[in-house]
Amino acid sequence: MLGLLDVKVFILSPVPVRTGGIPCTVHAWYRAEKAAVPATDLTDKQWSLLTHLLPVGRGNRVRRSVDAIFAKARTGVSWAKLPEEYGSTSTASKYFNDWVAQGVWAELGRTLAEVERVPVPSPELLPAMRIEGRVDPRVMLSAAEPSRTGWSRSARSR
């Protein structure tokens, strides 16, 4: 039967490579909570809603870390591939793990309930592809032809 199919698969993008064996804690948290992530980095007004929940950091360290966590969740990239504007990703990762353990990250999400959200991307383990195919006409049976099993289509429809 498979010999009667003509299928072509066209790979349209690079094949994703999973690096590391440990699942991303940020994505795992968002999936477990069934939560969406803010669609953009926080505005000054949105940030002002959170400051009472978070530690005071040097410079913009805490704010950059929060934006880095949201960017990681929103894009699905590894910590190492986040733009430098987000600062130290090891600091952001540490903050995230601490805040989840303390319940602070869930509270941040509730505080930002009115912010536009986007779904957390699913990890793509297959590249984008196009599949084209056709079925050999010999596979098709007419109503008058007996099938290979001995039953005709007309007999089955009675």
Side-chain angles (χ1 to χ4, degrees):
M1 179 72 148
L2 290 177
L4 300 174
L5 299 175
D6 181 20
V7 177
K8 294 179 183 172
V9 177
F10 300 92
I11 305 299
L12 304 174
S13 68
V15 176
V17 177
R18 179 171 162 93
T19 57
I22 300 172
C24 171
T25 57
V26 175
H27 289 132
W29 185 87
Y30 275 95
R31 279 190 212 97
E33 296 294 316
K34 295 181 176 61
V37 64
T40 63
D41 288 349
L42 300 178
T43 65
D44 290 340
K45 183 179 177 183
Q46 292 164 343
W47 176 249
S48 69
L49 299 171
L50 304 179
T51 55
H52 71 283
L53 297 170
L54 301 168
V56 178
R58 286 184 285 160
N60 284 334
R61 175 195 260 175
V62 175
R63 182 173 182 170
R64 289 190 313 174
S65 292
V66 169
D67 282 336
I69 295 164
F70 286 147
K72 180 167 183 14
R74 185 172 50 248
T75 62
V77 301
S78 68
W79 286 114
K81 292 188 179 180
L82 283 175
E84 288 183 22
E85 69 192 58
Y86 292 116
S88 169
T89 56
S90 62
T91 299
S93 177
K94 181 187 177 319
Y95 276 145
F96 177 76
N97 292 324
D98 290 349
W99 293 335
V100 166
Q102 298 162 4
V104 172
W105 197 252
E107 183 63 28
L108 275 152
R110 288 189 291 275
T111 303
L112 295 172
E114 300 303 315
V115 172
E116 179 186 357
R117 306 283 177 135
V118 294
V120 176
S122 296
E124 295 294 329
L125 299 178
L126 292 174
M129 65 180 77
R130 184 177 77 238
I131 301 172
E132 296 177 0
R134 67 178 190 85
V135 178
D136 189 308
R138 293 177 291 175
V139 175
M140 306 303 199
L141 296 174
S142 71
E145 275 183 88
S147 74
R148 291 185 183 106
T149 62
W151 293 87
S152 71
R153 293 177 88 193
S154 56
R156 278 185 270 160
S157 61
R158 289 184 204 162

